[in-house]
Amino acid sequence: MERFERIYAQGVVTKTEIWVDRETGVNYVFHRDGNSGGLTPLLDKEGKPVITPIK
């Protein structure tokens, strides 16, 4: 089983995705525009990482 699972994707050239770490449950946002991109933890309104319960 892969460690990361993509749970959301939007766009083609400019792309935004949400990935979940299956070991920790932490959600990450990946954004790409052309040849540039970045990955960061997804935070809630209190600034804490969004965590998906692990099944």
Side-chain angles (χ1 to χ4, degrees), residues 9-10 12 14 21-22 41 47 49 55:
Q10 172 183 313
V12 178
T14 300
D21 182 334
R22 290 183 175 175
K55 297 177 184 175

Side-chain angles (χ1 to χ4, degrees):
M1 176 166 52
E2 299 289 326
R3 178 165 179 171
F4 293 93
E5 176 183 6
R6 184 176 66 185
I7 61 168
Y8 176 81
Q10 172 183 313
V12 178
V13 175
T14 300
K15 194 165 211 170
T16 301
E17 301 174 342
I18 298 177
W19 290 81
V20 175
D21 182 334
R22 290 183 175 175
E23 290 186 17
T24 65
V26 175
N27 287 238
Y28 295 90
V29 174
F30 172 73
H31 183 79
R32 182 187 77 207
D33 190 354
N35 293 326
S36 298
L39 180 74
T40 188
L42 179 62
L43 304 177
D44 66 14
K45 63 183 179 180
E46 297 174 357
K48 297 179 181 176
V50 173
I51 299 177
T52 299
I54 305 299
K55 297 177 184 175

